[in-house]
Amino acid sequence: MSVAGWDESDLEATMRQQWFDEARFGMFVHFGLYSGAARHEWVQNYERLTDEDYRQYFENFDPDRFDAREIARRAKATGMGYVVLTTKHHDGFALWDSRLTDFTSMVACGRDLVREYVDALRAEGLRVGLYHSVIDWHHPDFTVDWNHPRRDDENAHALNEGRDMARYREFLYGQVRELLTGYGDIDYLFFDFTYPESQQGWAGKGPEDWDAEKLLAMCRELQPAMLVNDRLGIPADFVTPEQYQPTAPIVAADGSAQVWEACQTLNGSWGYHRDNTDQKSATLLVQMLADSVSMDGNMLLNTGPDGRGAIPPRDVATLSAIGEWMSLHRDAIVGAGHADFTPPREGVYTRRGDRLYLHLFSWPLGFVHLPELAGKVTYARLLNDGSWLKTSQTDPDQVAGLMTPAGEAEGTLTVHLPVRRPDVLVPVIELRLADGI
Ligand code: GLC
């Protein structure tokens, strides 16, 4: 125990987490053989493809436009502080020079894409995140279960004869060790994932299959400062709501604040899916980002490079629009977090030090009323152009006939707005809080 009543591991955990809390916004990159198949990263599972069926994507893997520097620059220009790349997805294909298999990018195209990626991120001053699937549909010892592409084979259960998860574990640990020893400091590791048994009697896969405690201990030993998610099925540093938004700051089982990061797609698919046109609007995504930060969370936004490794033009367009917004509104996101005030119905608050940011998801007519803030704000302005905004409080003695609104609850601060909404994805009002608030 140290003086403040913290023990060493508390302290380590806090340090580990600092940059992550600060950054708030990261990029997920799903790239692999499925990018060439171009119909979702689960294509092998969805279409029950055998290894042989899937092999063509390996034989024809040609990422001539995979440019890690371009990815790093794009992430930075979007206002993101870190990137997370799929080193291996469920299909088992390794994007680095793994010595433990020949199912690698090194064999397929002579490139260690993980090496290119970590170098590029460091050159841009971004934090390095890796995604690693503990599921492996390619490995001969990984048992067939209800998530496996071979589950509907006539002899599916028989396929498990001779498969040995203990042997698979050795391989899994070996590959994780390669990643955590061969590429310098890794800041973040996203394991994926644990799932329960099915109703049809198939086993799931969980902590016992990965020997999760031991695997996490190995991560801690090899990269003590690295954040690890909870998808080994045991608690670690952060939780990962996927494709949905929480509705309040997340509280851990012991009552403490839970570090979390929502991972979100641009169109519902993580891997490149050519014919999926469900692209989210940049406005919606900025709202989701602000919403996450307002609840003390991060957002990890995915892009799936195409079969040649390039970020698809539609993603570039969305990311550029978000980047433009971030360049003006960075202060309301990076280093910001939850604010203990009730926001008006038009939006959410984030807070950084003495600045309170109101992200307006809808633009009200003339005024926005802020409960409990009367007397607590010394200055208000629009963040996009720094233009001053008049504020007032309802005077209970003179209500009728005024051009300012009446009838707001006592203690309400009213901010006067231009009729014309600023031309940005989400307008933000910056409120400077009085000392001690
Ligand atoms: C899921 C999916 C996967 C995706 C991941 C991202 O668990 O299996 O395809 O990579 O989540 O969070």
Side-chain angles (χ1 to χ4, degrees):
M1 279 287 198
S2 72
V3 230
W6 286 64
D7 63 25
E8 280 304 303
S9 58
D10 282 340
L11 196 62
E12 256 176 31
T14 308
M15 308 270 289
R16 197 183 291 142
Q17 192 181 300
Q18 228 163 27
W19 70 264
F20 185 68
D21 286 352
E22 170 89 15
R24 290 301 183 206
F25 192 21
M27 176 185 273
F28 217 168
V29 180
H30 275 68
F31 187 58
L33 299 183
Y34 47 79
S35 311
R39 45 195 205 280
H40 201 284
E41 79 284 355
W42 274 60
V43 57
Q44 191 182 1
N45 167 298
Y46 290 169
E47 299 180 14
R48 277 74 169 162
L49 304 179
T50 61
D51 260 339
E52 208 184 317
D53 300 328
Y54 201 65
R55 186 81 192 167
Q56 58 178 323
Y57 305 118
F58 177 86
E59 304 289 354
N60 295 286
F61 184 64
D62 183 10
D64 65 328
R65 300 190 69 211
F66 182 91
D67 180 350
R69 284 161 314 175
E70 176 51 29
I71 291 174
R73 282 195 291 260
R74 175 64 55 194
K76 198 166 179 181
T78 311
M80 295 155 157
Y82 58 107
V83 185
V84 181
L85 172 71
T86 49
T87 56
K88 176 191 93 162
H89 205 264
H90 310 332
D91 63 3
F93 178 68
L95 267 65
W96 77 100
D97 185 15
S98 176
R99 300 303 154 113
L100 303 173
T101 172
D102 53 12
F103 202 47
T104 69
S105 61
M106 206 63 196
V107 174
C109 70
R111 288 168 65 183
D112 182 332
L113 301 177
V114 171
R115 172 88 54 212
E116 295 175 18
Y117 161 82
V118 294
D119 288 349
L121 256 55
R122 289 190 187 119
E124 291 296 326
L126 295 166
R127 294 284 181 160
V128 179
L130 304 180
Y131 163 108
H132 192 77
S133 171
V134 288
I135 301 169
D136 195 317
W137 298 328
H138 180 76
H139 197 279
D141 279 312
F142 187 87
T143 52
V144 175
D145 58 25
W146 62 277
N147 268 329
H148 197 281
R150 307 293 301 277
R151 66 194 173 286
D152 289 336
D153 278 26
E154 228 168 284
N155 60 345
H157 284 278
L159 287 175
N160 280 338
E161 279 162 30
R163 288 185 184 237
D164 180 355
M165 283 298 285
R167 268 201 312 254
Y168 169 68
R169 261 196 307 280
E170 261 175 56
F171 169 79
L172 169 66
Y173 280 53
Q175 284 207 320
V176 172
R177 185 174 282 277
E178 286 181 338
L179 289 167
L180 300 187
T181 54
Y183 298 87
D185 289 343
I186 303 298
D187 299 299
Y188 165 121
L189 182 58
F190 188 120
F191 281 122
D192 199 30
F193 71 87
T194 290
Y195 43 97
E197 65 197 26
S198 80
Q199 282 160 357
Q200 290 73 40
W202 281 109
K205 290 268 187 331
E208 53 305 336
D209 292 292
W210 335 122
D211 201 344
E213 303 282 351
K214 192 169 154 199
L215 185 51
L216 183 59
M218 185 179 97
C219 295
R220 298 294 195 220
E221 181 208 320
L222 297 177
Q223 298 275 351
M226 178 177 74
L227 288 164
V228 183
N229 74 346
D230 66 333
R231 291 199 186 178
L232 292 177
I234 57 169
D237 300 313
F238 64 102
V239 301
T240 55
E242 178 177 326
Q243 306 231 44
Y244 72 91
Q245 287 291 110
T247 51
I250 303 182
V251 179
D254 66 0
S256 63
Q258 171 67 61
V259 180
W260 63 271
E261 176 196 60
C263 46
Q264 303 291 358
T265 59
L266 284 175
N267 67 356
S269 177
W270 301 94
Y272 180 58
H273 192 177
R274 185 192 58 207
D275 302 336
N276 177 330
T277 54
D278 260 352
Q279 195 83 356
K280 296 181 182 77
S281 73
T283 299
L284 175 61
L285 291 161
V286 167
Q287 289 179 351
M288 287 160 63
L289 173 62
D291 187 45
S292 301
V293 179
S294 83
M295 295 181 283
D296 261 345
N298 286 24
M299 185 163 101
L300 185 65
L301 181 59
N302 182 73
T303 177
D306 66 18
R308 295 177 63 183
I311 303 181
R314 62 190 177 199
D315 292 9
V316 169
T318 306
L319 295 171
S320 309
I322 297 173
E324 203 178 312
W325 184 87
M326 276 296 285
S327 70
L328 296 174
H329 300 92
R330 188 181 169 84
D331 287 350
I333 298 291
V334 178
H338 177 70
D340 254 335
F341 300 103
T342 312
R345 59 188 177 156
E346 291 90 347
V348 299
Y349 282 135
T350 60
R351 179 175 184 167
R352 194 176 48 83
D354 68 351
R355 306 303 159 106
L356 183 63
Y357 298 98
L358 174 59
H359 302 249
L360 286 168
F361 294 176
S362 66
W363 188 250
L365 171 66
F367 308 96
V368 63
H369 306 290
L370 313 180
E372 302 150 42
L373 284 187
K376 296 184 178 156
V377 170
T378 61
Y379 196 79
R381 59 176 191 158
L382 280 170
L383 188 54
N384 61 293
D385 66 353
S387 58
W388 173 77
L389 294 172
K390 178 182 157 92
T391 55
S392 62
Q393 286 166 232
T394 308
D395 181 345
D397 295 330
Q398 14 167 312
V399 279
L402 289 181
M403 292 305 286
T404 51
E408 294 302 320
E410 214 178 309
T412 300
L413 179 77
T414 294
V415 181
H416 301 229
L417 300 174
V419 169
R420 212 186 156 90
R421 179 189 182 282
D423 190 18
V424 292
L425 299 178
V426 173
V428 176
I429 296 174
E430 184 189 63
L431 303 156
R432 187 168 191 161
L433 295 168
D435 284 352
I437 303 293

